[in-house]
Amino acid sequence: MIIKNNTLSSIYYMIFASMFIGGTTIIAKILGTDLFGKPLNPMQISHSRFFFAFILIFIFFLKTKSKIIKPNYKIHLSRSFCGWIGITILFGASSVIPVSDATALIFINPIFTMFLAIPFLGEEVKPTKWFAVAITFLGAIVLIRPENNLLEIQLVNIMLILGALALGLESIFIKILTTSEKPKQILLVNNGIGLIISSIPVYFIWISPNIKQILAMFFVGALMLCAQICFIQAMKKSEAHFVAPFFYFTLIFVCIYDFFIFQIKPDKISIIGTTLIIVGGILLYLSQMRSKLN
Protein backbone atom coordinates (compact mmCIF):
# COMPACT_ATOMS: atom_id res chain seq x y z
CA MET A 1 0.00 0.00 0.00
CA ILE A 2 2.88 2.37 0.82
CA ILE A 3 4.52 1.61 -2.51
CA LYS A 4 1.24 2.26 -4.33
CA ASN A 5 0.72 5.54 -2.49
CA ASN A 6 4.26 6.68 -3.28
CA THR A 7 3.77 5.83 -6.94
CA LEU A 8 0.49 7.72 -7.15
CA SER A 9 1.78 10.73 -5.22
CA SER A 10 4.84 10.96 -7.49
CA ILE A 11 2.48 11.15 -10.48
CA TYR A 12 0.35 13.80 -8.80
CA TYR A 13 3.39 15.89 -7.95
CA MET A 14 4.71 15.69 -11.50
CA ILE A 15 1.36 16.68 -12.99
CA PHE A 16 1.19 19.69 -10.67
CA ALA A 17 4.77 20.56 -11.66
CA SER A 18 3.64 20.41 -15.29
CA MET A 19 0.75 22.76 -14.56
CA PHE A 20 3.06 25.34 -12.97
CA ILE A 21 5.72 25.04 -15.70
CA GLY A 22 3.06 25.55 -18.35
CA GLY A 23 2.01 28.72 -16.55
CA THR A 24 5.54 30.12 -16.46
CA THR A 25 5.96 29.40 -20.17
CA ILE A 26 2.82 31.34 -21.08
CA ILE A 27 3.83 34.29 -18.88
CA ALA A 28 7.33 34.22 -20.38
CA LYS A 29 5.78 34.40 -23.87
CA ILE A 30 3.79 37.47 -22.80
CA LEU A 31 6.93 39.12 -21.42
CA GLY A 32 8.79 38.32 -24.62
CA THR A 33 6.19 40.15 -26.70
CA ASP A 34 4.92 43.73 -26.60
CA LEU A 35 1.66 42.92 -24.77
CA PHE A 36 2.89 44.48 -21.50
CA GLY A 37 5.42 46.91 -22.95
CA LYS A 38 8.84 46.65 -24.54
CA PRO A 39 9.69 42.93 -25.00
CA LEU A 40 12.15 41.58 -22.42
CA ASN A 41 15.15 39.45 -23.29
CA PRO A 42 14.75 35.72 -22.45
CA MET A 43 17.81 35.95 -20.19
CA GLN A 44 16.17 38.71 -18.17
CA ILE A 45 12.98 36.64 -17.85
CA SER A 46 15.05 33.64 -16.76
CA HIS A 47 16.87 35.84 -14.25
CA SER A 48 13.55 36.94 -12.73
CA ARG A 49 12.64 33.28 -12.30
CA PHE A 50 15.67 32.74 -10.06
CA PHE A 51 15.49 36.15 -8.35
CA PHE A 52 11.91 35.94 -7.07
CA ALA A 53 12.10 32.21 -6.36
CA PHE A 54 15.22 32.76 -4.26
CA ILE A 55 13.58 35.56 -2.26
CA LEU A 56 10.53 33.39 -1.49
CA ILE A 57 12.48 30.30 -0.47
CA PHE A 58 14.97 32.41 1.52
CA ILE A 59 12.13 33.96 3.54
CA PHE A 60 10.74 30.48 4.20
CA PHE A 61 14.21 29.27 5.22
CA LEU A 62 14.55 32.10 7.74
CA LYS A 63 11.07 31.64 9.20
CA THR A 64 11.59 27.92 9.75
CA LYS A 65 15.11 28.56 11.14
CA SER A 66 16.51 25.95 8.79
CA LYS A 67 20.21 25.33 8.23
CA ILE A 68 22.23 24.30 5.19
CA ILE A 69 23.79 20.92 5.93
CA LYS A 70 26.62 19.51 3.78
CA PRO A 71 25.37 20.49 0.32
CA ASN A 72 26.98 18.87 -2.71
CA TYR A 73 27.92 22.13 -4.44
CA LYS A 74 29.31 20.40 -7.54
CA ILE A 75 26.00 18.70 -8.24
CA HIS A 76 24.08 21.84 -7.33
CA LEU A 77 26.17 23.93 -9.72
CA SER A 78 25.72 21.41 -12.53
CA ARG A 79 21.98 21.21 -11.90
CA SER A 80 21.54 25.01 -11.75
CA PHE A 81 23.57 25.58 -14.92
CA CYS A 82 21.60 22.97 -16.88
CA GLY A 83 18.30 24.34 -15.60
CA TRP A 84 19.24 27.89 -16.52
CA ILE A 85 20.20 26.87 -20.06
CA GLY A 86 17.06 24.81 -20.63
CA ILE A 87 14.56 27.35 -19.26
CA THR A 88 16.23 30.31 -20.99
CA ILE A 89 16.04 28.50 -24.33
CA LEU A 90 12.36 27.64 -23.71
CA PHE A 91 11.47 31.22 -22.77
CA GLY A 92 13.32 32.59 -25.80
CA ALA A 93 11.81 30.13 -28.27
CA SER A 94 8.29 30.71 -26.92
CA SER A 95 8.39 34.29 -28.17
CA VAL A 96 9.54 33.23 -31.65
CA ILE A 97 7.52 30.09 -32.45
CA PRO A 98 4.16 28.81 -31.12
CA VAL A 99 4.28 27.99 -27.39
CA SER A 100 2.97 24.47 -27.99
CA ASP A 101 5.74 23.76 -30.52
CA ALA A 102 8.46 25.16 -28.27
CA THR A 103 7.16 23.25 -25.27
CA ALA A 104 6.84 20.01 -27.23
CA LEU A 105 10.44 20.21 -28.39
CA ILE A 106 11.96 21.22 -25.05
CA PHE A 107 9.98 18.57 -23.19
CA ILE A 108 11.42 15.63 -25.02
CA ASN A 109 13.80 15.88 -22.04
CA PRO A 110 12.11 12.92 -20.23
CA ILE A 111 13.48 10.73 -23.01
CA PHE A 112 16.98 12.02 -22.27
CA THR A 113 16.29 11.47 -18.56
CA MET A 114 15.43 7.83 -19.22
CA PHE A 115 18.60 7.26 -21.23
CA LEU A 116 20.80 9.07 -18.71
CA ALA A 117 19.21 7.30 -15.72
CA ILE A 118 20.68 4.02 -16.93
CA PRO A 119 24.41 4.95 -16.69
CA PHE A 120 24.16 7.66 -14.01
CA LEU A 121 21.63 6.11 -11.61
CA GLY A 122 21.92 2.44 -12.54
CA GLU A 123 18.19 2.21 -13.18
CA GLU A 124 16.80 -0.63 -15.27
CA VAL A 125 14.22 0.22 -17.91
CA LYS A 126 12.03 -2.68 -19.02
CA PRO A 127 10.70 -3.05 -22.59
CA THR A 128 7.11 -2.27 -21.55
CA LYS A 129 8.24 1.08 -20.18
CA TRP A 130 10.15 1.87 -23.37
CA PHE A 131 6.94 1.15 -25.29
CA ALA A 132 4.90 3.44 -23.03
CA VAL A 133 7.43 6.25 -23.34
CA ALA A 134 7.54 5.73 -27.12
CA ILE A 135 3.78 6.38 -27.26
CA THR A 136 4.18 9.49 -25.10
CA PHE A 137 7.05 10.70 -27.27
CA LEU A 138 4.94 10.09 -30.38
CA GLY A 139 2.31 12.37 -28.86
CA ALA A 140 4.92 15.09 -28.48
CA ILE A 141 6.04 14.62 -32.09
CA VAL A 142 2.44 14.95 -33.29
CA LEU A 143 2.08 18.22 -31.38
CA ILE A 144 5.23 19.55 -33.03
CA ARG A 145 3.47 19.16 -36.39
CA PRO A 146 6.51 17.78 -38.23
CA GLU A 147 5.03 18.54 -41.67
CA ASN A 148 5.77 22.20 -40.93
CA ASN A 149 9.29 21.69 -39.64
CA LEU A 150 11.03 18.80 -41.40
CA LEU A 151 11.86 20.91 -44.45
CA GLU A 152 13.15 23.80 -42.38
CA ILE A 153 16.22 23.10 -40.25
CA GLN A 154 15.78 26.04 -37.96
CA LEU A 155 18.36 27.11 -35.42
CA VAL A 156 15.65 27.57 -32.81
CA ASN A 157 14.62 23.92 -33.11
CA ILE A 158 18.21 22.75 -32.71
CA MET A 159 18.57 24.97 -29.65
CA LEU A 160 15.38 23.54 -28.17
CA ILE A 161 16.71 20.00 -28.54
CA LEU A 162 19.93 21.05 -26.78
CA GLY A 163 17.76 22.67 -24.12
CA ALA A 164 15.88 19.39 -23.72
CA LEU A 165 19.18 17.58 -23.19
CA ALA A 166 20.14 20.14 -20.54
CA LEU A 167 16.83 19.64 -18.72
CA GLY A 168 17.26 15.87 -18.95
CA LEU A 169 20.63 16.21 -17.22
CA GLU A 170 19.05 18.51 -14.64
CA SER A 171 16.50 15.79 -13.77
CA ILE A 172 19.34 13.34 -13.12
CA PHE A 173 21.15 15.82 -10.86
CA ILE A 174 17.90 16.48 -8.95
CA LYS A 175 17.40 12.76 -8.39
CA ILE A 176 20.96 12.46 -7.03
CA LEU A 177 20.43 15.42 -4.69
CA THR A 178 17.13 14.05 -3.32
CA THR A 179 18.96 11.01 -1.95
CA SER A 180 21.10 13.05 0.46
CA GLU A 181 19.56 16.52 0.92
CA LYS A 182 16.23 17.95 2.04
CA PRO A 183 13.97 19.53 -0.62
CA LYS A 184 14.03 23.01 0.93
CA GLN A 185 17.84 22.98 0.99
CA ILE A 186 17.94 21.89 -2.65
CA LEU A 187 15.58 24.74 -3.56
CA LEU A 188 17.55 27.40 -1.67
CA VAL A 189 20.98 26.40 -2.97
CA ASN A 190 19.73 25.87 -6.52
CA ASN A 191 17.99 29.23 -6.79
CA GLY A 192 20.91 30.98 -5.12
CA ILE A 193 23.42 29.55 -7.59
CA GLY A 194 20.99 30.10 -10.48
CA LEU A 195 20.60 33.74 -9.45
CA ILE A 196 24.37 34.24 -9.54
CA ILE A 197 24.73 32.52 -12.93
CA SER A 198 21.83 34.39 -14.53
CA SER A 199 22.89 37.78 -13.12
CA ILE A 200 26.10 37.82 -15.18
CA PRO A 201 24.58 38.02 -18.71
CA VAL A 202 21.51 40.03 -17.60
CA TYR A 203 23.80 42.93 -16.66
CA PHE A 204 24.53 43.49 -20.37
CA ILE A 205 20.97 43.18 -21.70
CA TRP A 206 18.91 44.75 -18.89
CA ILE A 207 15.67 46.51 -19.85
CA SER A 208 13.86 48.42 -17.12
CA PRO A 209 10.46 46.67 -16.71
CA ASN A 210 7.18 48.45 -16.01
CA ILE A 211 4.80 47.55 -13.16
CA LYS A 212 2.89 44.95 -15.19
CA GLN A 213 6.11 43.27 -16.27
CA ILE A 214 7.49 43.23 -12.71
CA LEU A 215 4.30 41.57 -11.49
CA ALA A 216 4.46 39.03 -14.31
CA MET A 217 8.15 38.37 -13.53
CA PHE A 218 7.22 37.74 -9.89
CA PHE A 219 4.70 35.11 -10.97
CA VAL A 220 7.33 33.49 -13.19
CA GLY A 221 9.52 33.06 -10.10
CA ALA A 222 6.67 32.01 -7.79
CA LEU A 223 5.18 29.48 -10.20
CA MET A 224 8.61 28.09 -11.03
CA LEU A 225 9.30 27.63 -7.31
CA CYS A 226 6.02 25.73 -6.96
CA ALA A 227 7.02 23.62 -9.96
CA GLN A 228 10.41 22.88 -8.39
CA ILE A 229 8.82 21.81 -5.11
CA CYS A 230 6.48 19.40 -6.89
CA PHE A 231 9.21 18.14 -9.24
CA ILE A 232 11.62 17.38 -6.38
CA GLN A 233 8.91 15.55 -4.44
CA ALA A 234 8.03 13.51 -7.53
CA MET A 235 11.66 12.53 -8.13
CA LYS A 236 12.11 11.69 -4.45
CA LYS A 237 9.12 9.36 -4.30
CA SER A 238 9.82 7.33 -7.44
CA GLU A 239 12.45 6.29 -9.96
CA ALA A 240 13.52 9.00 -12.39
CA HIS A 241 12.82 6.99 -15.56
CA PHE A 242 9.26 6.26 -14.37
CA VAL A 243 8.09 9.67 -13.22
CA ALA A 244 9.92 11.93 -15.71
CA PRO A 245 7.65 11.14 -18.73
CA PHE A 246 4.63 12.47 -16.83
CA PHE A 247 6.19 15.89 -17.33
CA TYR A 248 4.68 15.67 -20.82
CA PHE A 249 1.44 16.84 -19.22
CA THR A 250 2.97 20.31 -19.55
CA LEU A 251 1.97 20.13 -23.22
CA ILE A 252 -1.66 19.61 -22.23
CA PHE A 253 -1.64 22.53 -19.80
CA VAL A 254 -0.03 24.80 -22.40
CA CYS A 255 -2.88 24.01 -24.80
CA ILE A 256 -5.42 24.77 -22.04
CA TYR A 257 -3.74 28.09 -21.19
CA ASP A 258 -3.54 28.96 -24.88
CA PHE A 259 -7.29 28.48 -25.15
CA PHE A 260 -8.28 30.57 -22.13
CA ILE A 261 -5.66 33.32 -22.49
CA PHE A 262 -5.06 33.63 -26.24
CA GLN A 263 -8.34 32.04 -27.43
CA ILE A 264 -6.40 29.48 -29.43
CA LYS A 265 -8.64 26.44 -29.87
CA PRO A 266 -6.95 23.01 -30.03
CA ASP A 267 -7.26 21.37 -33.44
CA LYS A 268 -7.44 17.68 -34.28
CA ILE A 269 -3.65 17.36 -34.18
CA SER A 270 -3.55 18.82 -30.66
CA ILE A 271 -6.26 16.43 -29.49
CA ILE A 272 -4.48 13.40 -30.99
CA GLY A 273 -1.15 14.44 -29.50
CA THR A 274 -2.50 15.04 -26.01
CA THR A 275 -4.46 11.77 -26.12
CA LEU A 276 -1.29 9.84 -26.96
CA ILE A 277 0.49 11.53 -24.07
CA ILE A 278 -2.22 10.53 -21.62
CA VAL A 279 -2.33 6.94 -22.93
CA GLY A 280 1.45 6.68 -22.63
CA GLY A 281 1.31 7.98 -19.06
CA ILE A 282 -1.36 5.45 -18.06
CA LEU A 283 0.58 2.57 -19.62
CA LEU A 284 3.72 3.70 -17.81
CA TYR A 285 1.88 3.75 -14.49
CA LEU A 286 0.39 0.28 -15.05
CA SER A 287 3.84 -1.05 -15.99
CA GLN A 288 5.32 0.38 -12.81
CA MET A 289 2.60 -1.11 -10.60
CA ARG A 290 3.04 -4.48 -12.27
CA SER A 291 6.79 -4.51 -11.64
CA LYS A 292 6.25 -3.53 -7.99
CA LEU A 293 3.87 -6.46 -7.43
CA ASN A 294 6.20 -9.04 -9.03
Side-chain angles (χ1 to χ4, degrees), residues 9 39 62 73 116 151 185 226 237 250 260 288:
S9 62
L62 289 179
Y73 284 113
L116 294 169
L151 299 178
Q185 175 171 303
C226 291
K237 292 178 179 292
T250 302
F260 285 104
Q288 179 73 356

Side-chain angles (χ1 to χ4, degrees), residues 52-200:
F52 288 108
F54 177 75
I55 289 177
L56 291 172
I57 190 62
F58 184 71
I59 292 173
F60 174 78
F61 221 76
L62 289 179
K63 285 201 169 187
T64 56
K65 298 180 180 180
S66 303
K67 295 181 179 179
I68 298 178
I69 303 173
K70 297 180 180 179
N72 188 330
Y73 284 113
K74 289 183 179 180
I75 300 296
H76 276 291
L77 179 61
S78 300
R79 180 259 168 119
S80 299
F81 184 71
C82 288
W84 172 66
I85 290 176
I87 291 300
T88 301
I89 290 174
L90 174 60
F91 287 171
S94 296
S95 62
V96 177
I97 63 176
V99 177
S100 57
D101 287 4
T103 307
L105 272 172
I106 199 73
F107 283 107
I108 64 172
N109 76 83
I111 300 298
F112 289 116
T113 300
M114 276 193 58
F115 279 111
L116 294 169
I118 298 172
F120 282 96
L121 303 177
E123 295 184 3
E124 181 183 354
V125 183
K126 295 183 178 180
T128 52
K129 292 180 181 178
W130 283 114
F131 177 69
V133 172
I135 292 177
T136 308
F137 180 66
L138 178 61
I141 294 298
V142 170
L143 286 178
I144 292 174
R145 293 167 172 79
E147 70 274 8
N148 295 330
N149 293 315
L150 286 180
L151 299 178
E152 302 175 13
I153 309 299
Q154 300 176 359
L155 178 60
V156 65
N157 292 337
I158 297 174
M159 291 300 295
L160 280 165
I161 293 173
L162 292 176
L165 175 59
L167 290 178
L169 277 169
E170 184 193 22
S171 297
I172 297 299
F173 293 136
I174 290 174
K175 180 63 178 178
I176 294 173
L177 288 171
T178 58
T179 61
S180 59
E181 299 183 28
K182 293 182 178 180
K184 57 184 176 182
Q185 175 171 303
I186 296 173
L187 289 169
L188 180 69
V189 177
N190 165 245
N191 285 291
I193 295 175
L195 178 58
I196 295 172
I197 294 174
S198 62
S199 294
I200 298 172

Side-chain angles (χ1 to χ4, degrees), residues 259-277:
F259 175 74
F260 285 104
I261 298 175
F262 299 108
Q263 287 76 52
I264 298 177
K265 296 181 180 180
D267 54 18
K268 290 182 180 179
I269 293 178
S270 295
I271 294 173
I272 293 173
T274 53
T275 300
L276 287 171
I277 290 170

Side-chain angles (χ1 to χ4, degrees), residues 14 17-18 21 107 109-110 227 231 243-251:
M14 192 59 82
S18 301
I21 286 287
F107 283 107
N109 76 83
F231 191 88
V243 74
F246 285 94
F247 213 25
Y248 279 126
F249 274 85
T250 302
L251 301 173

